[in-house]
Amino acid sequence: MLVSTLMGLGAFAQVPRADFTATSALSGCSPLIVNFQDLSTGSPTQWTWDFGNGTIVNVQNPAAQAYTLPGTYTVKLTVRNANGVDSMVKVSYVTVFANPVVDFSASQLTGCFPLNTTFTPNITIPGGGSVVKYEWGFGDGDSSQLANPTHVYRFDNNFNVTLRVTTNQGCVNFTTKNAYINVNPGVSPAFYNSFASSCRPPANIDFFNNSTGPGALSYTWKFGDGNTSSAASPSHSYNSSGVFPVTMIVTSSSGCSDSALGSIDIPNASITSSISAPDTSCVNQPILFTSISSPVADSSGWKFGDGTESTGASITKVYNATGTYRITLTNLFTSCLDSVSKTIVIIDTAAVNFTSNDTASCRAPYTVQFTSQAPQAASYAWDFGDGNTSTAANPSHTYMAEGSYHVTLTITNRNGCTSRRIRYNFIRIAAPTIRFLNLPDSGCAPLTVNPNALIVAPDGVASYFWNFGTSTSTAVNPSITYNTTGTYSVSLAITTRTGCLQTLSLPAAVKVGTSPTANFSASPLLSCAADSVAFTDLSTGTVTGYLWNFGDPGSPSNLTTLKDPKHLYSDTGTFSVILRVFNNGCENSITRTNYIRTFGAVAKFGFQVNCNLNRREVQFLDSSINVVTRQWDFGD
């Protein structure tokens, strides 16, 4: 019975049979997408596809395959199960046609409109085939389906040309050449000319060509006096006066041609150009140059010989260096130019300075003697800065009011050149002032003080006299030691170099004391936060001042200078208290750490006004400590 059963099972075991098909076209242009479907029988459990394009997959129904290279492809499917293996091969099953390679040329790529050009395609089809359809786009809105079309461009622009072809296998490709055809509007002749180089014959005229157009341009000039030229921008000399018609003919290598007309007026006028200016002047001095030409010129241009130029009938010029310079004036009269030149000699100016031994005083009136230092001066002009002047060489001047004065001396030498020297704040007249910089001062005996004074005295300080209440000194920066407690005044008297006396006295400038002994008590030491704590001073010795720190920085009354203060703590917790006591600046302190302890509730709140929408609306923000119940009173 066992053998019979096994034989029965073997009779149903099957060897797989490979089979497949394509569910899409098997031939076409690159890229060709083919879908394959497994049709194998015999219950295979494994599939191996070889698509002939280098791709091998192991699934039953593979994803679509892309064939990009032209040619024919053999496809093989191998199937397996436990009973065996089978394969199916389909030779040249898939065929891929090549896309055409598209190119073209044109008989005329550029020129003036209307431009007539013939297009010639250049098509290659790898693997063979033929073109069955041409589609041309000429870039100007026109098209054609001829193989070799001829097209006429009727307006200027740069045109893109496109050719699209279809082969007998249905493959399509195209190419576009951007700005392939360049159609120009033709030549645009234009020129301008200079004014006549002289206002009487012979006169030279420069012609400047400004023509544009396609291709290479050539020129024919007719100057109206029987002479011609083929230069692009010629110069021509007219030997007689008169009005001459000028013609310029422009021809382009693209076949375009046009002309421009003008006229030249060669005068024979009675014109005189002349310059009004000195023959000699001074360095750094303004010089007036004026055209006194006849008739009055339409415009005038100047060249001053130092590299600078200007325009106008009258020009003010300053030379910065000595030397001889050639000035040229060029006048424009309607249609001609006329020039004249002259030289000018620029000489150096004289050196100028001045001094005085009396430049500062502590009082007015104040008389100052000035001494000039200008050996080449022929004349003098003094400005003393207070509205008064003098023409003396070495003047004396009395200032009637305090102030700082600028003094100016201007001299003129024998050549007429002027020089000037300004000395700013040269004369200073002011009463002295004193200010102590490091007083008042205080401390424990013995106390050493080094008083320092800021003194402003234009004429300088001649002597010092200090009075410290216990001794005196004539030093500039003295030092004094106080050995006895007390309060002392300090005064300083100074005498300036021009005899002014100034004093400054500071009462209670120095306070000297002995150190007291700080001590205090407080009650209660344990309290609710809402209860005040009373502090009692127990210090010994002489005390002239107190400073308490209750260790409660959140409170506005954390610091006080009272002798026996009371303090309300604004928080709960443990607080250290510091007492500093002073005797004329001599200090002693005591700190009691974790001295006061408070507990219970502390009422705190803030508020915010609604400034944007309703200024009467107030938001209250409770920040109380250890709260069980609240009761608000809004004050209204």
Side-chain angles (χ1 to χ4, degrees), residues 107-108 114-119 137-144 148-155 159 161 181:
S107 60
Q108 188 82 5
L115 178 67
N116 194 342
T117 185
T118 300
F119 295 93
F138 300 118
D140 60 353
D142 289 343
S143 61
S144 175
N148 297 90
T150 297
H151 183 65
V152 178
Y153 288 91
R154 302 187 181 279
F155 57 92
F159 298 96
V161 180
I181 302 298

Side-chain angles (χ1 to χ4, degrees), residues 297-526:
D298 293 339
S299 63
S300 299
W302 299 84
K303 294 184 178 180
F304 296 106
D306 61 349
T308 63
E309 300 179 5
S310 188
T311 58
S314 294
I315 299 297
T316 298
K317 162 71 178 174
V318 174
Y319 285 93
N320 298 316
T322 60
T324 300
Y325 299 91
R326 184 172 180 84
I327 300 100
T328 300
L329 167 65
T330 301
N331 288 321
L332 171 62
F333 297 96
T334 307
S335 60
C336 64
L337 299 173
D338 193 55
S339 298
V340 65
S341 298
K342 72 165 294 179
T343 58
I344 186 171
V345 178
I346 304 300
I347 59 178
D348 201 359
T349 56
V352 58
N353 199 2
F354 61 88
T355 62
S356 176
N357 293 327
D358 311 311
T359 61
S361 177
C362 61
R363 65 170 69 90
Y366 178 54
T367 300
V368 181
Q369 178 66 47
F370 294 95
T371 302
S372 65
Q373 296 176 331
Q376 299 181 31
S379 63
Y380 303 84
W382 293 84
D383 183 342
F384 300 116
D386 62 349
N388 294 288
T389 60
S390 174
T391 58
N394 301 299
S396 176
H397 179 64
T398 299
Y399 289 89
M400 304 304 296
E402 293 184 0
S404 293
Y405 300 95
H406 308 325
V407 180
T408 303
L409 171 59
T410 303
I411 67 164
T412 304
N413 65 11
R414 289 182 295 275
N415 295 317
C417 298
T418 60
S419 298
R420 176 176 297 171
R421 176 66 191 276
I422 302 175
R423 302 190 71 169
Y424 295 94
N425 299 315
F426 187 57
I427 303 300
R428 293 172 295 130
I429 306 171
T433 60
I434 305 173
R435 182 164 65 90
F436 291 135
L437 296 179
N438 58 349
L439 293 178
D441 196 2
S442 62
C444 302
L447 175 65
T448 298
V449 179
N450 299 295
N452 188 12
L454 175 63
I455 300 172
V456 178
D459 53 338
V461 179
S463 65
Y464 295 79
F465 184 79
W466 294 84
N467 189 336
F468 300 112
T470 60
S471 62
T472 61
S473 174
T474 59
V476 177
N477 296 300
S479 178
I480 175 68
T481 299
Y482 292 92
N483 296 304
T484 305
T485 62
T487 300
Y488 302 90
S489 298
V490 175
S491 64
L492 170 62
I494 64 166
T495 303
T496 70
R497 290 191 175 95
T498 55
C500 291
L501 175 65
Q502 184 65 273
T503 62
L504 175 64
S505 180
L506 181 63
V510 178
K511 294 181 178 180
V512 182
T514 56
S515 177
T517 300
N519 194 10
F520 69 91
S521 65
S523 180
L525 300 181
L526 178 65

Side-chain angles (χ1 to χ4, degrees), residues 104-130:
F104 61 87
S105 60
S107 60
Q108 188 82 5
L109 297 180
T110 184
C112 308
F113 67 78
L115 178 67
N116 194 342
T117 185
T118 300
F119 295 93
T120 302
N122 182 13
I123 311 299
T124 57
I125 306 174
S130 60

